[in-house]
Amino acid sequence: MGKRIVAVRYSPDWLALTDDDTRTFLRRHGIDENLLVDFMGLWDRHLKVDYRSFRHEIAKLSRASFAAVRGAEVIPHAVLRETKRAPDDLIAFVDDDDWLSPGLFEELEKACPRPLNGIWWGSILVGPQLTTYEDSQTLPLIELRPLERVIYTNNYAVTGRALNHHGYPRLFEHYHADRRFGKFWWPPKKVPLYLSAASKHPCSTVSVQFFMAQPQFRADPRRHVERFADQLAEADIPAEYGWLKQPVDAVEALVRRALG
């Protein structure tokens, strides 16, 4: 059996993040380059934990989650890019606000001992529903996303064989991987288990995009953050996903500290 690898995508030194760093990142993803600068100004005026420190703490929680995955080696994406992988290595890609089940690779090994190209599984959303502002405030915070052919940020792994053949750029980001999977001669195997979660906290880029477009949020960001803390406290975590409780509780504590 090859190595089991958790590859962390771009994760800056959040405490040293500059405004220009955020502009470069947003331009690369086709997003208004001043979005985060504007959000950071609003957030820092109203909250007791500044944006950079908040993101730093969120990333620490994720690193602890990755380190707890049994049998896994955690490496930054830059290191992965520099190495040729063994064909039977299995590489899962994550962002620095994702969480993984400690038994991720054990469960994948049981379900698919020798994946040819890759595997994908269920993803849990921990965050507001970003459909309407009312939905974001009222709908449950934890959602087991449908087990359809949709690759989210953290619910797929590819073999070293696939990575070497198809190339790093086609598999590194989830939206590229989702398209590329449809072109595999032997498609990645679906495992009907929920083994990862995406933490869509108020400072995550997707949340920032949504809420900065909402007049209610811009007028009173503290009100939204207070509601988010309450939603975390009310979260119904199914017993089989008990590994979520520690990071959810830790995010709630961080959010309440930000509220002061």
Side-chain angles (χ1 to χ4, degrees), residues 141-204:
L141 206 65
I142 292 182
E143 177 197 5
L144 303 183
R145 288 160 155 167
L147 276 163
E148 299 170 349
R149 249 309 311 277
V150 175
I151 303 303
Y152 296 99
T153 63
N154 57 27
N155 70 322
Y156 72 101
V158 298
T159 61
R161 179 184 298 104
L163 192 62
N164 294 336
H165 177 75
H166 291 274
Y168 188 92
R170 292 171 172 169
L171 297 173
F172 170 65
E173 294 287 2
H174 68 95
Y175 40 86
H176 291 152
D178 194 43
R179 291 195 293 268
R180 178 55 44 173
F181 278 11
K183 299 177 181 178
F184 279 14
W185 185 259
W186 297 102
K189 181 178 175 62
K190 172 183 175 181
V191 174
L193 299 171
Y194 287 87
L195 300 171
S196 57
S199 170
K200 298 307 178 188
H201 50 86
C203 291
S204 67

Side-chain angles (χ1 to χ4, degrees), residues 73-192:
E73 178 182 345
V74 183
I75 61 175
H77 71 93
V79 173
L80 185 70
R81 283 180 183 270
E82 295 169 358
T83 58
K84 186 176 178 66
R85 305 313 316 176
D88 57 348
D89 284 352
L90 191 61
I91 304 108
F93 295 98
V94 292
D95 291 331
D96 71 354
D97 50 5
D98 290 333
W99 306 325
L100 298 175
S101 164
L104 171 68
F105 288 115
E106 295 168 345
E107 295 293 341
L108 296 179
E109 174 71 16
K110 285 190 289 186
C112 184
R114 294 179 181 83
L116 185 64
N117 284 317
I119 311 177
W120 66 282
W121 56 89
S123 173
I124 303 171
L125 173 66
V126 182
Q129 293 291 338
L130 304 181
T131 47
T132 67
Y133 186 78
E134 181 180 352
D135 286 348
S136 75
Q137 305 300 290
T138 58
L139 293 182
L141 206 65
I142 292 182
E143 177 197 5
L144 303 183
R145 288 160 155 167
L147 276 163
E148 299 170 349
R149 249 309 311 277
V150 175
I151 303 303
Y152 296 99
T153 63
N154 57 27
N155 70 322
Y156 72 101
V158 298
T159 61
R161 179 184 298 104
L163 192 62
N164 294 336
H165 177 75
H166 291 274
Y168 188 92
R170 292 171 172 169
L171 297 173
F172 170 65
E173 294 287 2
H174 68 95
Y175 40 86
H176 291 152
D178 194 43
R179 291 195 293 268
R180 178 55 44 173
F181 278 11
K183 299 177 181 178
F184 279 14
W185 185 259
W186 297 102
K189 181 178 175 62
K190 172 183 175 181
V191 174

Side-chain angles (χ1 to χ4, degrees), residues 127-128 141 200-202 224-232 251 255:
L141 206 65
K200 298 307 178 188
H201 50 86
H224 164 69
V225 177
E226 288 167 354
R227 178 59 192 142
F228 182 68
D230 291 342
Q231 287 173 300
L232 288 167
V251 174
V255 170

Side-chain angles (χ1 to χ4, degrees), residues 23 55 102 169 194:
R23 292 188 178 102
R55 288 302 308 252
Y194 287 87

Side-chain angles (χ1 to χ4, degrees), residues 23-40:
R23 292 188 178 102
T24 299
F25 169 77
L26 293 175
R27 279 198 302 268
R28 190 164 65 240
H29 290 275
I31 303 171
D32 172 16
E33 67 176 30
N34 291 310
L35 177 72
L36 283 175
V37 172
D38 294 343
F39 178 82
M40 287 189 293

